[in-house]
Amino acid sequence: MLRKTDFYINGKWIAPAVAKELEVINPADEQAFAVISLGSAADVDKAVSAARKAFISWSITSREERLAWLERLLAVYETRIADMATAISSEMGAPIKMALDEQAASGTAHIKAFIRTLKNFKFERPLDERNKTTRIAYEPIGVCGLITPWNWPMNQVVLKVVPAIAAGCTVILKPSEIAPISSVIFAEMVDASGLPAGVFNLVNGDGPSVGEAMSRHPGIDMMSFTGSTRAGVAVTKAAAETVKRVSLELGGKSPNIVFADADLEAAITRGVSHVFNNTGQSCNAPTRMLVERSVYDKATEIAAAAAKATKVGDPSQDGDHMGPLVSEMQFNKVQGLIEQGIKEGARLIAGGAGRPEGFNRGYYVRPTVFADVNNDMTIAREEIFGPVLAMIPFDTEEEAVEIANDTPYGLAAYIQSGDSERIRRVSKQLRAGMVRINGASHAADAPFGGYKQSGIGREGGHWGLEDFLEVKAISGWEDSAA
Ligand SMILES: NC(=O)c1ccc[n+]([C@@H]2O[C@H](COP(=O)([O-])OP(=O)(O)OC[C@H]3O[C@@H](n4cnc5c(N)ncnc54)[C@H](O)[C@@H]3O)[C@@H](O)[C@H]2O)c1
């Protein structure tokens, strides 16, 4: 059993103030494979005082010093990427190939993207052409509390830690207690990268204790949170007392609009496989597939066939199969929602409740597709966070846009069509932070985040760095030519 019970505070691995352990479960066999500690407010206090002290000197380091650190971190990350993939696969069930090529690799991609951003970011500039005696300066916000979920553990951690530190902030990371081992490895990497003590701190724990203590802490200037809308609201309320800056990346129920003029076979197959990727546990998964009625029947056939062809398997085995869900709680939630879909009258065309054939343990679920869903059904409204696709027919472009926008979320939206005029028109009407056309991928430097209840702020690239900066206007600046 792996023991990772210490926290990383002020450049050292130290025991928690009060011993309280938690077993980390491998969802593939339901067995504990590691132990961590659950921290308390006293550990948060220690981390905050280390981060406050470190902020004094880190906040005034040069861009070059911070770039040099990022390059060192990248080198360490690349040498330990296989360890990272194994940790992610064991803690949240991503198949090892996907854990390496997508989960762990997202860390490398984001570090590289922030190196590009930091090289070019203008931390200071004149107000405009007309007024050069007003100087605009972007300065680090201060001590940042970072809270991350289990579904894309390293993607989320790197999207916060790296821009915060690149901006000159100091941080306290609290990863998900369900998938904390990848973050312990990340802390080991930071330790090896030669960052001054106190700039990066790791405290493990759960939401109501460590997460809440961070959100309330007067010594923390900003909370950057990724997770459920429920917990995001709790963080925002707790942070309000001290008027912290709060950045939120929350849930989604993203529409994928398939018009009759799309390359149907490719569009539907791609849409289904995107929903099933990471066992449906992605905030931007295109879980509502809206299909133009003239091709709807054909689309349901293609989707059912794609779901039935999706293999489910042990994450430790090499291959392109789908792994289990992360936890028993998530398994029960997904089972309940599949049953709810059947009860509310949606037509099950692939998968369904229960484990796939041949599995009697592990949190494996069946790749599931519902047809004839209407947008008022629970499975069209709630984020399921499992491999469950809801197919909804539509008649006109206007109706498609209306259904797409009829959700409290606004994270991503997808359009499949061969008509570029239509694509431009529809993409502008969708109330979502990200629109992806005909399978285009989202660049690592592009802003990631949502409208409405999908969050506040953007991660990634220029926007991700700016999230950790305050803006200062200095009037009466004499030499403001550059
Ligand atoms: N928009 C995005 O960028 C994005 C990315 C990944 C995941 N997500 C969302 O994350 C959710 C799944 O992750 P999850 O189940 O780990 O979410 P969660 O909200 O249960 O937990 C996320 C994190 O918040 C902490 N937390 C829980 N309650 C808290 C509280 N009261 N105060 C402070 N912290 C608290 C948890 O310990 C964990 O570290 C989904 O809703 C998904 O859509 C969003």
Side-chain angles (χ1 to χ4, degrees):
M1 180 89 67
L2 195 60
R3 284 192 66 81
K4 296 284 184 186
T5 50
D6 285 353
F7 301 150
Y8 187 74
I9 297 176
N10 207 21
K12 292 192 186 68
W13 289 97
I14 62 165
V18 181
K20 188 176 177 194
E21 296 190 347
L22 177 76
E23 290 187 332
V24 185
I25 309 294
N26 182 332
D29 60 9
E30 304 179 27
Q31 300 298 306
F33 74 98
V35 181
I36 59 156
S37 297
L38 292 178
S40 59
D43 302 301
V44 174
D45 284 344
K46 272 190 216 162
V48 170
S49 70
R52 289 219 76 79
K53 190 159 162 267
F55 182 74
I56 297 166
S57 45
W58 186 252
S59 59
I60 52 168
T61 49
S62 66
R63 180 200 309 265
E64 288 65 34
E65 281 171 86
R66 300 201 295 274
L67 273 171
W69 170 68
L70 275 172
E71 297 283 2
R72 292 198 300 275
L73 179 70
L74 178 62
V76 181
Y77 194 97
E78 283 178 332
T79 55
R80 291 201 64 192
I81 196 160
D83 296 345
M84 184 58 84
T86 305
I88 294 174
S89 182
S90 309
E91 67 190 6
M92 55 73 65
I96 190 67
K97 183 173 182 302
M98 186 267 182
L100 184 65
D101 296 348
E102 298 182 44
Q103 288 271 7
S106 65
T108 322
H110 289 307
I111 300 172
K112 287 182 177 167
F114 282 117
I115 289 174
R116 289 194 291 273
T117 300
L118 184 57
K119 274 185 183 155
N120 298 316
F121 194 84
K122 276 200 173 355
F123 285 95
E124 278 191 36
R125 57 173 173 78
L127 176 62
D128 56 25
E129 275 303 304
R130 195 181 46 87
N131 182 344
K132 293 186 175 165
T133 59
T134 298
R135 187 83 169 162
I136 302 299
Y138 288 85
E139 299 182 345
I141 279 181
V143 174
C144 300
L146 314 175
I147 299 182
T148 55
W150 47 261
N151 61 329
W152 282 88
M154 231 353 77
N155 183 61
Q156 307 308 329
V157 164
V158 174
L159 268 173
K160 295 189 191 304
V161 173
V162 167
I165 296 180
C169 294
T170 56
V171 307
I172 297 137
L173 169 67
K174 189 210 85 64
S176 166
E177 65 278 26
I178 297 167
I181 302 302
S182 50
S183 284
V184 173
I185 292 181
F186 182 76
E188 291 169 5
M189 293 174 173
V190 173
D191 187 51
S193 72
L195 190 67
V199 175
F200 169 88
N201 304 276
L202 169 84
V203 178
N204 275 318
D206 61 22
S209 52
V210 175
E212 167 92 13
M214 285 167 66
S215 310
R216 289 200 180 283
H217 206 293
I220 294 184
D221 302 288
M222 172 182 176
M223 291 301 300
S224 176
F225 173 88
T226 299
S228 62
T229 300
R230 173 201 61 79
V233 170
V235 167
T236 309
K237 285 185 179 167
E241 290 280 335
T242 45
V243 198
K244 287 183 180 50
R245 280 74 186 114
V246 177
S247 175
L248 304 170
E249 296 291 348
L250 308 175
K253 192 74 196 176
S254 300
N256 182 5
I257 309 177
V258 184
F259 289 102
D261 56 18
D263 176 350
L264 200 66
E265 181 84 34
I268 304 294
T269 318
R270 188 168 60 227
V272 169
S273 96
H274 193 163
V275 172
F276 295 165
N277 187 35
N278 211 32
T279 320
Q281 303 164 118
S282 297
C283 49
N284 60 355
T287 48
R288 289 184 298 143
M289 186 184 274
L290 281 43
V291 185
E292 193 161 353
R293 202 175 299 273
S294 60
V295 294
Y296 177 74
D297 286 343
K298 181 78 190 141
T300 59
E301 281 167 28
I302 300 169
K308 286 172 189 162
T310 303
K311 291 193 269 326
V312 178
D314 183 341
S316 66
Q317 303 291 313
D318 194 17
D320 289 325
H321 48 279
M322 190 178 91
L325 290 171
V326 71
S327 65
E328 185 177 10
M329 203 174 102
Q330 198 61 24
F331 178 85
N332 291 335
K333 181 187 162 200
V334 172
Q335 295 298 328
L337 282 162
I338 293 174
E339 277 157 19
Q340 184 79 11
I342 296 168
K343 214 162 77 192
E344 291 181 17
R347 180 163 60 95
L348 189 64
I349 57 170
R355 285 188 171 86
E357 226 170 282
F359 291 89
N360 53 16
R361 67 170 190 173
Y363 305 122
Y364 296 95
V365 288
R366 301 167 70 191
T368 296
V369 182
F370 281 106
D372 305 351
V373 176
N374 78 53
N375 206 45
D376 295 329
M377 290 180 183
T378 309
I379 54 167
R381 303 215 73 81
E382 276 190 30
E383 186 182 47
I384 300 175
F385 239 50
V388 181
L389 172 66
M391 298 183 74
I392 306 174
F394 70 84
D395 290 302
T396 62
E397 187 180 304
E398 292 69 32
E399 193 195 358
V401 171
E402 196 183 306
I403 299 171
N405 288 338
D406 176 19
T407 164
Y409 295 113
L411 189 59
Y414 302 78
I415 306 171
Q416 319 297 328
S417 169
D419 177 346
S420 47
E421 277 303 307
R422 189 211 298 274
I423 289 170
R424 293 211 177 109
R425 203 166 49 233
V426 172
S427 63
K428 289 184 188 159
Q429 293 174 67
L430 294 170
R431 303 282 300 158
M434 299 172 279
V435 175
R436 287 165 66 175
I437 297 159
N438 290 330
S441 55
H442 181 90
D445 307 81
F448 191 106
Y451 286 20
K452 302 194 268 180
Q453 290 183 29
S454 288
I456 299 172
R458 294 291 182 274
E459 295 194 310
H462 175 97
W463 298 265
L465 189 67
E466 217 174 69
D467 239 28
F468 292 99
L469 296 164
E470 290 278 17
V471 186
K472 181 181 277 177
I474 310 169
S475 310
W477 191 269
E478 280 180 16
D479 175 20
S480 196

